[in-house]
Amino acid sequence: MNLFGLIPSFLFVLLASSVGAADKASLTIQGAKLSVSSADGSLLNSQTLSPPETASPVTLGPTDVFKLAFTVVTSDSKTPVQPHQVFLRFYDPKTDEEGIHPIRVTSAGKAKLELNMAKPPLTLPPTTESPLEVTLLLGSYNYEPASFPLFSLTLPVSQPPPVHPDEASYHPLPSIFHTFRAEEKQPPQVISAVFTLLVLSPWFVLLVLWTQLPLSVPHLFSSEVLPFVVLLGAFEYLLVQYWVSLKLPQVLSYGAILGFLTAATGKRALSSLSKWRLGEKQ
Amino acid sequence: MRLLSLLTTALLVGLSAATSSAGNSVLVVLEPKLSREQFSIFFDGLESKGYDLTFRAPKDEKPVILEDDIPAFSHVIFFAPTTKNFASDITPQSIITLLENRVNVLIALSPSTTPLTSLAAEFSLILPPPNTPLISHFPSRPHPPTTLAITPHNGPNAPILSKNLGPVLFKGISHAYGENPRLVSILKAPKESFASDTESDRGSESIADAVEKGGEGLWAGGSMGVVSGFQTVSGARVTWVGGVDVFGDEFANAEALEGVKSGNEQFSKDVAAWTFQESLVLRIANTSHHLLGENYPRDHYTTKDEIVYSIDIERFDAKTSTWKPYSGITDLQLEYTMLDPHIRTALPPIKGAPGHYSVTFRAPDRHGVFKFVVDYKRKGWTHLHSAIVVPLVPPRHDGYPRFLSSAWPYYAGAISTSIGFVIFSALWLGGDVREKGKGKGKKAE
């Protein structure tokens, strides 16, 4: 009994909900035709549209004229209506650019669109070579809304959208590498070595000649001369150190000490030398 | 004395700031038409997070938003979308002053024109003509066409909104975006929506008129926004919301679509968290530079030096109200700049050192006053900027290589001369003239 009572009520609920959904009929279009003609009026492309099937892709040249005409009807009784919203949406999925173009519909549901690409409307989005998806949006206060993908449309490439000068700094910027000046070229080391030997060659001549000369240095290791010669050597060593590592103030201070000592020992060495020579002459 | 008390209050405020990195005092300018109870979920949520809410009507004289040009609150909410006359202290100019002082502002708009709608243009938001609310007939839902259910599409890089947010119920106006990159879109209008003042199907003519020559244009499609944020130069955040009802209890408790609960409660929390500097807040903890192989900064570097630059970055964690090292930035860049960047290189995070980013590069062979510049700007995130000026000098006189192979003959010549001089001196001083024949003696004399 309970079970039998339940079934009709269940059916009733189903019926009621389906009635609720069918409360508003949905919108569709019929008799849709599109055509593309060139500037001189010759027909380039003509198709009939039967949504939800999409038409074959459409390409427009810079002077072509595109025409689209259809009638908006209710899906059940096919009575023509004038809905609130009849928009063509041009969308570029690659750049995410979008343009919405409202189509004027008469109270008899007749819609006509003419796009002259010589004077493109401002509602078209900035275009690249990639095709735009064209969708028809139908919305109304009294009927269920509907959207139909119509066709893909390739338009002449337009100016890119304006970009704020600071926009680039909100994305990773291209890397910049510094180009260094080329290292200075050095001549081959062999050539340097040859010329070094050339510079040093007088020493070989001198050494050879020295063997022919009777040389003796009896006073060199005397207490008067040796300190002076050693200090002269030290001066040369200081200059070599200046070249390699020391700084000017250090060189000046060491040089002052050395200079004082060298002057003192030099005076002693030279005076004793003159003494020897004078003594020898006498 | 006054300074001391100021410091202590600043310290106390800093300690008690429970959630926001920018303070917890909030002024809510609520117009008399709206009541606090209408937004109880939103306001109670803020209070439970630790915010200190103060309410005031637009025409009340107190509390003022700016006292002697010093902001009295850390954040200001303007829920006065239809108020045309404010008290004398609330003007577009005073709101700009707030933003300059790093006060964050949340502003709700409505289809009617108010002083705040004229301010929106300053933030590169282009509002539709007055009294044209956003309408969508898609999809069919248990709401009027002016109440939209918007599914949020979160940006991949700036997760202002939580993941898996339900459709957000919205009622109000949309806005078109100018080119300003400081704008960050939080919620965009659905692609089928449009702004219109018509209330029946007969209005379709006037919609078509809008795009004709001389029309005011059509605010339609998915490139429009309904909730948008803006980060000012000072670092403050201002959020523009097309309708105040987004934050209301009614929408928070309603179903967005049949059987789908609205995401408004979480959405308003997320929007407030971003606006009040809780989420996506970064700061630079430390920057340093040194020569490769050293660990102290130099006051100048030499051309062609190998320089190490490193930076530590922290992110604010609203759950614990602390700053934590953040290594999540993958596209940080360092510029070595003298007028123009001479070097721009990636500054990658270092594995094993949280929040530490470092790079080694060779200084260019051009001397001058160079800067290490890190300028990280990404939509939705706090902008980071650091510039350290360190001169780059050419090598000193003793900074060049000492022994070049091409100069060997010169070294040999100079050293020969030196050695020759010492040998000559030794011979002349130590040699004996008389002992060794007359020829040599003559020479020496």
Side-chain angles (χ1 to χ4, degrees), chain A residues 35-248:
Chain A
S35 69
V36 180
S37 52
S38 62
D40 56 16
S42 60
L43 200 63
L44 299 175
N45 185 352
S46 172
Q47 294 184 51
T48 52
L49 291 165
S50 49
E53 282 166 43
T54 53
S56 54
V58 178
T59 306
L60 292 185
T63 55
D64 291 351
V65 179
F66 171 83
K67 281 181 187 162
L68 177 70
F70 55 84
T71 312
V72 183
V73 293
T74 56
S75 56
D76 47 2
S77 60
K78 305 288 181 199
T79 46
V81 286
Q82 182 190 28
H84 191 217
Q85 175 189 22
V86 183
F87 288 177
L88 268 193
R89 177 175 186 258
F90 302 91
Y91 178 64
D92 188 338
K94 274 192 189 154
T95 58
D96 206 33
E97 292 288 347
E98 184 198 56
I100 302 276
H101 189 89
I103 302 176
R104 202 177 286 275
V105 186
T106 63
S107 50
K110 292 222 180 291
K112 249 188 208 172
L113 171 75
E114 189 175 316
L115 294 179
N116 187 350
M117 289 318 290
K119 283 188 224 158
L122 296 170
T123 45
L124 289 181
T127 45
T128 58
E129 270 125 25
S130 62
L132 302 170
E133 291 171 3
V134 182
T135 314
L136 180 69
L137 302 172
L138 301 173
S140 163
Y141 282 99
N142 308 322
Y143 302 98
E144 285 283 306
S147 79
F148 303 109
L150 295 183
F151 50 89
S152 75
L153 177 68
T154 309
L155 294 179
V157 176
S158 74
Q159 292 277 331
V163 175
H164 194 275
D166 288 348
E167 180 70 35
S169 67
Y170 282 74
H171 306 276
L173 294 166
S175 294
I176 297 175
F177 300 98
H178 182 74
T179 314
F180 287 87
R181 271 191 296 271
E183 294 283 330
E184 276 181 49
K185 272 191 182 168
Q186 304 252 348
Q189 293 194 347
V190 182
I191 294 180
S192 303
V194 167
F195 279 91
T196 308
L197 286 178
L198 206 67
V199 169
L200 291 175
S201 59
W203 282 105
F204 299 110
V205 176
L206 183 67
L207 286 174
V208 169
L209 291 178
W210 243 336
T211 55
Q212 309 296 316
L213 285 174
L215 271 179
S216 77
V217 279
H219 301 304
L220 181 59
F221 298 103
S222 69
S223 61
E224 288 90 4
V225 173
L226 187 65
F228 181 53
V229 175
V230 168
L231 281 169
L232 279 183
F235 237 116
E236 298 297 339
Y237 178 71
L238 178 68
L239 291 181
V240 171
Q241 282 301 308
Y242 178 36
W243 172 247
V244 175
S245 63
L246 290 182
K247 299 243 182 329
L248 186 64

Side-chain angles (χ1 to χ4, degrees), chain B residues 82-249:
Chain B
T82 60
T83 306
K84 291 202 195 295
N85 297 307
F86 287 93
S88 57
D89 67 314
I90 302 178
T91 58
Q93 188 51 48
S94 69
I95 295 173
I96 300 292
T97 314
L98 286 180
L99 293 168
E100 278 169 1
N101 287 290
R102 298 197 54 129
V103 174
N104 306 299
V105 179
L106 177 65
I107 299 176
L109 299 170
S110 77
S112 55
T113 312
T114 70
L116 296 180
T117 53
S118 62
L119 185 64
E122 304 295 326
F123 294 85
S124 294
L125 299 178
I126 306 153
L127 298 186
N131 305 316
T132 51
L134 191 67
I135 289 177
S136 178
H137 298 292
F138 293 79
S140 69
R141 58 190 182 277
H143 298 290
T146 50
T147 301
L148 286 77
I150 305 174
T151 310
H153 294 284
N154 214 343
N157 297 321
I160 293 174
L161 302 180
S162 311
K163 280 175 191 158
N164 307 322
L165 205 59
V168 175
L169 284 175
F170 176 83
K171 183 181 181 185
I173 55 169
S174 61
H175 44 251
Y177 291 113
E179 295 155 26
N180 200 321
R182 296 184 172 275
L183 270 175
V184 47
S185 170
I186 298 175
L187 190 65
K188 283 200 163 184
K191 61 179 192 279
E192 301 92 352
S193 66
F194 59 103
S196 172
D197 53 356
T198 53
E199 282 163 6
S200 75
D201 282 0
R202 267 172 292 168
S204 106
E205 292 277 329
S206 69
I207 296 168
D209 286 342
V211 298
E212 304 273 292
K213 229 175 195 177
E216 67 269 28
L218 183 66
W219 273 251
S223 58
M224 304 289 134
V226 296
V227 180
S228 299
F230 188 99
Q231 295 201 71
T232 65
V233 179
S234 66
R237 289 174 175 178
V238 51
T239 303
W240 295 86
V241 184
V244 74
D245 298 314
V246 174
F247 300 101
D249 294 357

Side-chain angles (χ1 to χ4, degrees), chain B residues 341-355:
Chain B
H342 280 55
I343 291 174
R344 187 187 291 132
T345 177
L347 194 51
I350 302 301
K351 270 185 193 167

Side-chain angles (χ1 to χ4, degrees), chain B residues 3 33 36 80 207 227 286 301 366 376 388 392 403-404 407:
Chain B
L3 191 72
K33 272 186 215 163
R36 203 205 140 140
I207 296 168
V227 180
N286 189 30
Y301 292 102
R366 290 197 55 186
Y376 182 75
I388 311 172
L392 189 66
F403 295 103
L404 301 169

